[in-house]
Amino acid sequence: GTEADLESTLLSLLEHRENHFEIVVVHADNYADPYALDGDEITLIDSEGSFVDLIHDGVQASLSPVVQILLPGTTVQSDWNAAALDAFDDYRIGAIAASVAVANLKSNIIGLQGDQLTRHRLVTDRDHPTEIYPMLNGGYFRRKLLISLDGLFA
């Protein structure tokens, strides 16, 4: 995403986060931090490599047991994560699909549904699926789950 996309995401996070929330921003050396937020409000990490490498570096830098991945341009609203975080009280929960608004769609996307990784469909908030898989953008994941993915975050 662009610097403007990143800043819109940061602005919405800073406006709506609770004090104990940690914000880790990983970028491919393309964010100048014009507001000097690094170290005070957020943790900025310069990273090189693939998209997966960027996620890896962010997960490794995070101290929180639950990580939400937000891509540049994604914005949040007040109490956007209360229900998802409450669900993690159940130790069996490893990931939660979140509702994500996407420009030009009339419904929010909440995840993916399918019986095979190669065949899936987007699920919107107008659907009533029994089981969905979180999308990367907006999805909540146990940090330990992401770290334990063999070969991905080794």
Side-chain angles (χ1 to χ4, degrees):
T2 66
E3 187 168 316
D5 290 340
L6 179 57
E7 288 183 353
S8 72
T9 300
L10 282 174
L11 178 61
S12 73
L13 283 169
L14 292 170
E15 286 179 341
H16 300 296
R17 77 169 176 170
E18 294 182 28
N19 288 336
H20 64 280
F21 285 4
E22 170 186 38
I23 300 175
V24 176
V25 177
V26 183
H27 60 94
D29 198 30
N30 61 353
Y31 185 64
D33 191 19
Y35 306 105
L37 297 171
D38 188 22
D40 184 35
E41 297 285 333
I42 62 175
T43 301
L44 276 177
I45 300 172
D46 295 329
S47 181
E48 295 182 13
S50 69
F51 181 67
V52 172
D53 292 330
L54 297 177
I55 293 171
H56 169 262
D57 292 347
V59 170
Q60 291 294 334
S62 175
L63 301 175
S64 175
V66 176
V67 174
Q68 182 182 29
I69 298 172
L70 297 174
L71 300 180
T74 305
T75 57
V76 299
Q77 300 173 354
S78 295
D79 298 323
W80 85 94
N81 57 11
L85 293 178
D86 288 345
F88 281 100
D89 289 343
D90 182 341
Y91 72 92
R92 297 170 296 175
I93 301 294
I96 299 283
S99 178
V100 177
V102 177
N104 301 324
L105 289 182
K106 295 180 182 190
S107 299
N108 290 350
I109 296 173
I110 59 172
L112 300 172
Q113 183 179 37
D115 22 355
Q116 301 175 30
L117 291 177
T118 57
R119 299 187 70 199
H120 58 269
R121 70 178 185 91
L122 290 176
V123 178
T124 70
D125 58 2
R126 294 182 183 188
D127 299 325
H128 300 285
T130 57
E131 184 175 309
I132 60 172
Y133 307 102
M135 294 185 348
L136 187 60
N137 188 30
Y140 294 85
F141 304 89
R142 275 199 201 279
R143 182 176 178 271
K144 289 184 344 184
L145 173 67
L146 292 176
I147 289 172
S148 71
L149 293 174
D150 185 33
L152 186 59
F153 294 112

